[in-house]
Protein backbone atom coordinates (compact mmCIF):
# COMPACT_ATOMS: atom_id res chain seq x y z
CA UNK A 1 0.00 0.00 0.00
CA UNK A 2 1.33 3.41 -0.84
CA UNK A 3 0.66 6.53 1.12
CA UNK A 4 0.71 9.77 -0.79
CA UNK A 5 2.36 12.78 0.82
CA UNK A 6 0.03 15.22 2.52
CA UNK A 7 -1.28 17.86 0.17
CA UNK A 8 0.13 21.33 0.82
CA UNK A 9 -2.27 23.29 2.95
CA UNK A 10 -3.77 26.11 0.93
CA UNK A 11 -6.21 27.98 3.10
CA UNK A 12 -9.61 28.93 1.78
CA UNK A 13 -9.66 32.62 1.06
CA UNK A 14 -12.04 34.61 3.28
CA UNK A 15 -11.57 37.87 1.40
CA UNK A 16 -9.54 38.95 -1.59
CA UNK A 17 -8.53 42.15 -3.34
CA UNK A 18 -7.50 41.84 -6.99
CA UNK A 19 -5.67 44.67 -8.78
CA UNK A 20 -7.36 47.01 -6.34
CA UNK A 21 -6.77 50.74 -6.87
CA UNK A 22 -8.13 53.70 -4.98
CA UNK A 23 -7.52 57.25 -6.16
CA UNK A 24 -8.51 60.30 -4.14
CA UNK A 25 -8.99 63.71 -5.72
CA UNK A 26 -7.83 64.80 -9.15
CA UNK A 27 -5.30 67.09 -10.81
CA UNK A 28 -2.94 68.61 -8.26
CA UNK A 29 -4.68 66.92 -5.35
CA UNK A 30 -4.70 63.44 -6.93
CA UNK A 31 -3.46 60.76 -4.51
CA UNK A 32 -3.11 57.11 -5.46
CA UNK A 33 -3.83 55.53 -2.08
CA UNK A 34 -3.84 51.97 -3.46
CA UNK A 35 -2.01 51.00 -6.62
CA UNK A 36 -3.19 47.66 -8.06
CA UNK A 37 -3.02 45.72 -4.84
CA UNK A 38 -3.68 41.98 -5.00
CA UNK A 39 -3.91 40.12 -1.72
CA UNK A 40 -5.92 37.27 -0.24
CA UNK A 41 -6.77 36.81 3.42
CA UNK A 42 -6.89 33.14 4.37
CA UNK A 43 -9.74 31.74 6.40
CA UNK A 44 -8.92 31.16 10.06
CA UNK A 45 -5.73 33.14 9.65
CA UNK A 46 -4.58 36.23 11.50
CA UNK A 47 -3.05 38.75 9.09
CA UNK A 48 -1.39 42.02 10.09
CA UNK A 49 -1.06 44.91 7.64
CA UNK A 50 1.92 47.18 8.26
CA UNK A 51 3.50 50.13 6.53
CA UNK A 52 4.47 53.76 7.00
CA UNK A 53 1.85 56.38 7.72
CA UNK A 54 -0.01 57.19 4.50
CA UNK A 55 0.94 53.91 2.79
CA UNK A 56 -2.71 52.91 2.32
CA UNK A 57 -3.31 50.51 5.22
CA UNK A 58 -6.62 52.00 6.32
CA UNK A 59 -7.75 52.47 2.74
CA UNK A 60 -7.05 48.81 1.95
CA UNK A 61 -8.92 47.68 5.05
CA UNK A 62 -11.87 50.00 4.35
CA UNK A 63 -12.17 48.89 0.72
CA UNK A 64 -12.02 45.17 1.53
CA UNK A 65 -14.47 45.63 4.41
CA UNK A 66 -16.99 47.37 2.18
CA UNK A 67 -16.69 50.65 4.10
CA UNK A 68 -15.27 52.58 1.17
CA UNK A 69 -15.64 52.51 -2.61
CA UNK A 70 -12.66 51.79 -4.87
CA UNK A 71 -11.56 53.15 -8.23
CA UNK A 72 -10.74 49.91 -10.08
CA UNK A 73 -10.05 46.26 -9.54
CA UNK A 74 -12.25 43.96 -7.50
CA UNK A 75 -12.93 42.86 -3.94
CA UNK A 76 -14.51 39.62 -2.86
CA UNK A 77 -15.71 38.74 0.66
CA UNK A 78 -16.58 35.07 0.89
CA UNK A 79 -18.13 34.42 -2.51
CA UNK A 80 -19.58 37.92 -2.90
CA UNK A 81 -18.12 40.47 -5.32
CA UNK A 82 -18.47 43.86 -3.62
CA UNK A 83 -18.34 45.84 -6.87
CA UNK A 84 -21.62 44.31 -7.98
CA UNK A 85 -23.54 45.32 -4.85
CA UNK A 86 -25.96 48.19 -4.37
CA UNK A 87 -25.44 50.45 -1.32
CA UNK A 88 -28.17 48.58 0.44
CA UNK A 89 -26.60 45.20 -0.24
CA UNK A 90 -23.23 46.55 0.92
CA UNK A 91 -24.78 47.71 4.20
CA UNK A 92 -26.23 44.26 4.68
CA UNK A 93 -22.90 42.59 3.91
CA UNK A 94 -21.09 44.79 6.44
CA UNK A 95 -23.73 43.98 9.01
CA UNK A 96 -23.90 40.24 8.43
CA UNK A 97 -20.45 39.17 7.30
CA UNK A 98 -17.94 41.62 8.72
CA UNK A 99 -16.87 42.58 12.24
CA UNK A 100 -15.00 45.78 13.10
CA UNK A 101 -12.72 46.82 15.93
CA UNK A 102 -11.47 50.38 15.86
CA UNK A 103 -8.92 52.30 17.88
CA UNK A 104 -11.71 54.19 19.62
CA UNK A 105 -13.87 51.56 21.26
CA UNK A 106 -17.13 53.15 20.01
CA UNK A 107 -19.33 51.74 22.76
CA UNK A 108 -22.70 53.24 23.62
CA UNK A 109 -22.38 54.73 27.12
CA UNK A 110 -25.99 54.08 28.14
CA UNK A 111 -25.88 50.36 27.36
CA UNK A 112 -24.38 47.59 29.47
CA UNK A 113 -21.42 45.58 28.24
CA UNK A 114 -23.72 42.74 27.15
CA UNK A 115 -26.13 45.11 25.41
CA UNK A 116 -23.20 46.67 23.55
CA UNK A 117 -21.99 43.24 22.48
CA UNK A 118 -25.34 42.19 21.05
CA UNK A 119 -26.39 45.61 19.69
CA UNK A 120 -25.42 45.02 16.04
CA UNK A 121 -27.36 41.76 16.04
CA UNK A 122 -30.31 43.32 17.85
CA UNK A 123 -30.42 46.06 15.21
CA UNK A 124 -30.33 43.41 12.50
CA UNK A 125 -33.15 41.49 14.18
CA UNK A 126 -30.94 38.45 14.62
CA UNK A 127 -30.81 36.23 17.66
CA UNK A 128 -27.27 35.53 18.82
CA UNK A 129 -26.20 31.89 18.92
CA UNK A 130 -26.08 31.48 22.69
CA UNK A 131 -23.32 28.92 22.78
CA UNK A 132 -21.09 30.98 20.51
CA UNK A 133 -21.84 34.17 22.44
CA UNK A 134 -20.98 32.46 25.72
CA UNK A 135 -17.68 31.19 24.38
CA UNK A 136 -16.77 34.63 23.04
CA UNK A 137 -17.63 36.32 26.35
CA UNK A 138 -15.71 33.70 28.26
CA UNK A 139 -12.71 34.01 25.98
CA UNK A 140 -12.42 37.77 26.51
CA UNK A 141 -12.97 37.32 30.26
CA UNK A 142 -16.04 39.52 30.57
CA UNK A 143 -18.36 37.09 32.33
CA UNK A 144 -18.32 39.10 35.56
CA UNK A 145 -18.70 42.48 33.86
CA UNK A 146 -21.71 42.05 31.61
CA UNK A 147 -23.99 44.43 33.50
CA UNK A 148 -21.36 47.18 33.74
CA UNK A 149 -21.60 50.28 31.59
CA UNK A 150 -18.57 51.45 29.61
CA UNK A 151 -17.75 54.21 32.15
CA UNK A 152 -17.41 51.50 34.81
CA UNK A 153 -14.85 49.60 32.73
CA UNK A 154 -11.15 50.22 32.09
CA UNK A 155 -9.93 50.99 28.57
CA UNK A 156 -8.73 47.43 28.18
CA UNK A 157 -12.08 46.03 29.31
CA UNK A 158 -13.93 48.38 26.95
CA UNK A 159 -11.84 47.14 24.06
CA UNK A 160 -12.61 43.56 25.12
CA UNK A 161 -16.30 44.47 24.80
CA UNK A 162 -15.56 45.82 21.32
CA UNK A 163 -13.74 42.58 20.43
CA UNK A 164 -16.67 40.50 21.68
CA UNK A 165 -19.09 42.72 19.74
CA UNK A 166 -17.11 42.17 16.55
CA UNK A 167 -17.06 38.39 17.07
CA UNK A 168 -20.62 37.96 18.37
CA UNK A 169 -22.32 37.49 15.02
CA UNK A 170 -19.73 34.93 13.79
CA UNK A 171 -18.71 37.18 10.90
CA UNK A 172 -16.74 35.77 7.99
CA UNK A 173 -13.96 38.21 8.71
CA UNK A 174 -13.01 40.66 11.47
CA UNK A 175 -11.09 43.84 10.67
CA UNK A 176 -9.21 45.94 13.20
CA UNK A 177 -7.56 49.31 12.51
CA UNK A 178 -4.93 49.79 15.21
CA UNK A 179 -7.21 48.05 17.73
CA UNK A 180 -4.67 48.38 20.53
CA UNK A 181 -3.59 51.93 19.67
CA UNK A 182 -5.37 53.41 22.70
CA UNK A 183 -4.33 50.76 25.21
CA UNK A 184 -1.35 50.42 27.51
CA UNK A 185 0.94 47.55 26.60
CA UNK A 186 -0.54 45.11 29.10
CA UNK A 187 -4.15 45.70 28.05
CA UNK A 188 -2.97 45.75 24.44
CA UNK A 189 -1.32 42.35 24.68
CA UNK A 190 -4.47 40.94 26.30
CA UNK A 191 -6.62 42.14 23.42
CA UNK A 192 -4.10 40.80 20.88
CA UNK A 193 -4.12 37.48 22.72
CA UNK A 194 -7.93 37.34 22.44
CA UNK A 195 -7.78 38.09 18.73
CA UNK A 196 -5.25 35.30 18.28
CA UNK A 197 -7.38 32.95 20.41
CA UNK A 198 -10.41 33.75 18.29
CA UNK A 199 -8.44 32.54 15.27
CA UNK A 200 -6.98 29.46 16.98
CA UNK A 201 -9.97 28.22 18.96
CA UNK A 202 -12.98 29.70 17.16
CA UNK A 203 -11.61 29.59 13.61
CA UNK A 204 -12.19 33.29 13.12
CA UNK A 205 -10.45 35.20 10.30
CA UNK A 206 -8.78 38.42 11.47
CA UNK A 207 -7.10 41.24 9.55
CA UNK A 208 -5.46 43.93 11.65
CA UNK A 209 -3.71 47.16 10.74
CA UNK A 210 -0.85 47.98 13.09
CA UNK A 211 2.43 49.90 13.17
CA UNK A 212 3.70 47.95 16.16
CA UNK A 213 6.07 45.00 15.51
CA UNK A 214 5.07 43.45 18.85
CA UNK A 215 1.39 43.50 17.83
CA UNK A 216 2.25 42.15 14.38
CA UNK A 217 4.02 39.19 15.97
CA UNK A 218 0.64 37.89 17.21
CA UNK A 219 -0.38 37.41 13.58
CA UNK A 220 0.29 34.40 11.33
CA UNK A 221 1.37 36.63 8.49
CA UNK A 222 2.35 40.24 7.94
CA UNK A 223 1.71 42.10 4.69
CA UNK A 224 3.81 45.25 4.21
CA UNK A 225 2.52 48.23 2.27
CA UNK A 226 4.45 51.24 0.97
CA UNK A 227 3.06 53.93 -1.32
CA UNK A 228 -0.11 51.99 -1.93
CA UNK A 229 1.63 48.78 -2.98
CA UNK A 230 2.46 45.51 -1.29
CA UNK A 231 6.22 45.46 -0.95
CA UNK A 232 6.80 42.44 1.24
CA UNK A 233 5.22 39.76 3.37
CA UNK A 234 6.30 37.52 6.20
CA UNK A 235 4.89 34.33 7.69
CA UNK A 236 5.11 33.44 11.36
CA UNK A 237 6.56 36.84 12.19
CA UNK A 238 8.52 37.66 15.32
CA UNK A 239 8.78 41.23 16.59
CA UNK A 240 12.53 41.20 15.91
CA UNK A 241 12.14 39.93 12.36
CA UNK A 242 9.50 42.58 11.66
CA UNK A 243 11.75 45.30 13.11
CA UNK A 244 14.66 44.09 10.98
CA UNK A 245 12.55 44.14 7.84
CA UNK A 246 11.31 47.65 8.63
CA UNK A 247 14.90 48.83 9.19
CA UNK A 248 16.17 47.38 5.95
CA UNK A 249 13.22 48.60 3.92
CA UNK A 250 13.72 51.30 1.31
CA UNK A 251 10.48 52.92 2.29
CA UNK A 252 11.59 55.95 4.36
CA UNK A 253 8.62 55.88 6.72
CA UNK A 254 9.56 52.40 7.90
CA UNK A 255 12.77 53.67 9.41
CA UNK A 256 11.12 56.10 11.81
CA UNK A 257 9.62 55.02 15.14
N1 LIG B 1 -10.54 60.95 2.29
C1 LIG B 1 -9.35 61.14 1.73
N2 LIG B 1 -9.19 62.14 0.82
C2 LIG B 1 -8.00 62.34 0.20
N3 LIG B 1 -6.90 61.60 0.45
C3 LIG B 1 -7.00 60.61 1.34
C4 LIG B 1 -8.22 60.34 2.02
N4 LIG B 1 -8.02 59.27 2.86
C5 LIG B 1 -6.73 58.92 2.70
N5 LIG B 1 -6.12 59.71 1.80
C6 LIG B 1 -4.71 59.62 1.34
O1 LIG B 1 -4.49 58.28 0.88
C7 LIG B 1 -3.22 57.81 1.29
C8 LIG B 1 -3.37 56.54 2.14
O2 LIG B 1 -4.04 56.87 3.35
P1 LIG B 1 -4.37 55.81 4.48
O3 LIG B 1 -4.98 54.61 3.86
O4 LIG B 1 -5.14 56.50 5.54
O5 LIG B 1 -2.90 55.44 5.01
P2 LIG B 1 -2.45 54.69 6.35
O6 LIG B 1 -3.65 54.09 7.00
O7 LIG B 1 -1.44 53.69 5.90
O8 LIG B 1 -1.82 55.74 7.21
C9 LIG B 1 -2.56 58.97 2.04
O9 LIG B 1 -1.75 59.68 1.15
C10 LIG B 1 -3.74 59.79 2.48
O10 LIG B 1 -3.37 61.13 2.63
MG1 LIG C 1 -4.51 54.44 8.92
Amino acid sequence: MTTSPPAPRTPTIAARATELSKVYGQGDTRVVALDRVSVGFGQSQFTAIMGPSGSGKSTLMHCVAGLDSFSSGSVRVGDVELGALTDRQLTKLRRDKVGFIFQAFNLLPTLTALENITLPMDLAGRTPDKEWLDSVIQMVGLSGRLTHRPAQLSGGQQQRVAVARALASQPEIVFGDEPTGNLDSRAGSEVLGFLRDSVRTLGQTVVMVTHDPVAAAYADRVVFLADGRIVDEMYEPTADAVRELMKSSDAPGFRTS
Side-chain angles (χ1 to χ4, degrees):
M1 222 169 67
T2 55
T3 43
S4 48
R9 231 181 118 255
T10 2
T12 312
I13 296 300
R16 184 191 292 287
T18 306
E19 294 279 304
L20 179 67
S21 291
K22 169 80 179 178
V23 180
Y24 288 109
Q26 37 181 284
D28 287 351
T29 62
R30 188 171 185 271
V31 174
V32 180
L34 293 176
D35 188 6
R36 290 162 293 161
V37 169
S38 295
V39 63
F41 300 112
Q43 209 166 60
S44 303
Q45 283 204 331
F46 188 176
T47 306
I49 300 175
M50 299 192 82
S53 179
S55 58
K57 304 182 295 295
S58 295
T59 304
L60 175 60
M61 197 196 94
H62 290 169
C63 288
V64 178
L67 287 171
D68 208 346
S69 64
F70 42 91
S71 309
S72 61
S74 65
V75 173
R76 187 162 66 74
V77 174
D79 49 12
V80 179
E81 285 288 341
L82 300 200
L85 301 183
T86 62
D87 282 351
R88 216 175 136 170
Q89 289 170 320
L90 257 186
T91 305
K92 193 165 150 33
L93 175 120
R94 282 196 299 265
R95 199 185 66 195
D96 295 342
K97 303 210 166 174
V98 182
F100 297 99
I101 308 161
F102 295 101
Q103 196 168 335
F105 320 132
N106 292 328
L107 304 181
L108 286 188
T110 56
L111 300 184
T112 66
L114 180 61
E115 288 164 348
N116 267 289
I117 291 168
T118 59
L119 181 67
M121 301 190 70
D122 293 340
L123 291 175
R126 282 172 62 192
T127 316
D129 179 309
K130 180 137 185 0
E131 223 170 283
W132 173 266
L133 190 61
D134 284 348
S135 48
V136 167
I137 287 168
Q138 204 167 26
M139 186 190 75
V140 298
L142 281 171
S143 305
R145 296 277 188 286
L146 292 176
T147 58
H148 290 52
R149 287 177 212 287
Q152 301 170 299
L153 299 170
S154 69
Q157 289 167 335
Q158 290 185 56
Q159 193 63 316
R160 290 195 221 172
V161 174
V163 169
R165 179 181 55 187
L167 297 171
S169 63
Q170 284 186 273
E172 276 187 38
I173 187 161
V174 170
F175 291 97
D177 197 348
E178 303 265 1
T180 56
N182 274 337
L183 301 178
D184 61 48
S185 66
R186 181 159 160 239
S189 56
E190 273 174 10
V191 164
L192 290 162
F194 296 137
L195 286 176
R196 189 173 56 192
D197 288 351
S198 78
V199 172
R200 297 277 183 281
T201 63
L202 306 175
Q204 186 60 64
T205 303
V206 177
V207 177
M208 168 183 78
V209 170
T210 183
H211 65 269
D212 177 5
V214 174
Y218 282 80
D220 300 309
R221 171 195 182 204
V222 186
V223 171
F224 296 90
L225 280 181
D227 293 330
R229 293 184 190 173
I230 292 181
V231 291
D232 223 323
E233 70 175 325
M234 185 187 289
Y235 285 87
E236 300 186 15
T238 63
D240 281 341
V242 170
R243 266 187 222 108
E244 277 308 306
L245 196 145
M246 286 161 74
K247 254 192 257 166
S248 66
S249 168
D250 287 337
F254 269 135
R255 289 202 211 100
T256 60
S257 85

